[in-house]
């Protein structure tokens, strides 16, 4: 094995280690965003259940600021849920892309890689030159 082959092997292994490290980070990010999304949705469901209670007319003014704050909190949670879903999907796609880099072009594009060119010995023989006609 020549030094060039060893350097090539080392570079390949180093690239795979870096890709694996990036994949681990993206998987952790995906799990984090899934957890945040579930937490936000759970809080949103609790807020919705809290907003459906009705009170008597004489005490409504006391509960009004709390109802407004719950409504604002619900809107903020829904806004955060949109971004949590976006970041979860982005980290999933980034993870798929990193896996594709490690496994080859077929994984990323979905199209099989082009077959390697035939060696010269396996290529069909060239046609003889055509004879000039009179």
């Amino acid at each position: 094995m020549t030094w060039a082959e060893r350097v090539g092997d080392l570079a390949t292994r180093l690239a795979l280690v870096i890709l694996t490290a990036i994949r681990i980070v993206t998987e952790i990010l995906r799990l984090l965003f899934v957890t945040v999304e579930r937490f936000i949705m759970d809080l949103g469901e609790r807020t919705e259940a809290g907003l459906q209670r009705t009170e008597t007319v004489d005490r409504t003014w006391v509960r009004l600021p709390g109802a407004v704050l719950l409504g604002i909190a619900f809107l903020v949670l829904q806004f955060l849920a949109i971004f949590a879903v976006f970041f979860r999907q982005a980290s999933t796609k980034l993870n798929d892309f990193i896996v594709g880099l490690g496994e080859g072009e077929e994984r990323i594009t979905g199209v099989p890689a082009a077959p390697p060119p035939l060696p010269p010995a396996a290529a069909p023989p060239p046609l003889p030159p055509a004879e000039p006609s009179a």
Side-chain angles (χ1 to χ4, degrees):
M1 183 178 263
T2 65
W3 67 271
E5 290 172 338
R6 289 183 183 178
V7 169
D9 265 354
L10 178 64
T12 301
R13 290 175 189 239
L14 184 62
L16 288 175
V17 166
I18 290 171
L19 288 175
T20 303
I22 292 172
R23 183 172 178 219
I24 290 169
V25 169
T26 57
E27 191 65 27
I28 291 172
L29 282 174
R30 187 187 70 79
L31 291 175
L32 173 76
F33 288 123
V34 166
T35 305
V36 168
E37 179 186 3
R38 286 182 186 161
F39 177 69
I40 289 172
M41 295 310 289
D42 184 48
L43 287 177
E45 289 171 2
R46 289 181 189 175
T47 303
E48 284 178 352
L51 288 175
Q52 295 186 12
R53 287 183 284 152
T54 57
E55 296 290 330
T56 59
V57 178
D58 58 337
R59 299 275 177 137
T60 305
W61 67 272
V62 175
R63 301 262 184 206
L64 185 62
V68 169
L69 288 177
L70 279 175
I72 292 172
F74 176 72
L75 291 175
V76 169
L77 288 174
Q78 289 298 322
F79 186 71
L80 288 176
I82 292 170
F83 284 103
V85 169
F86 171 73
F87 286 126
R88 177 182 51 85
Q89 290 176 345
S91 62
T92 302
K93 288 297 179 187
L94 181 62
N95 189 29
D96 289 344
F97 180 73
I98 297 300
V99 169
L101 287 177
E103 293 181 3
E105 182 180 349
E106 182 177 341
R107 168 80 185 224
I108 297 172
T109 61
V111 178
L118 295 173
L127 296 173
E131 293 182 19
S133 54

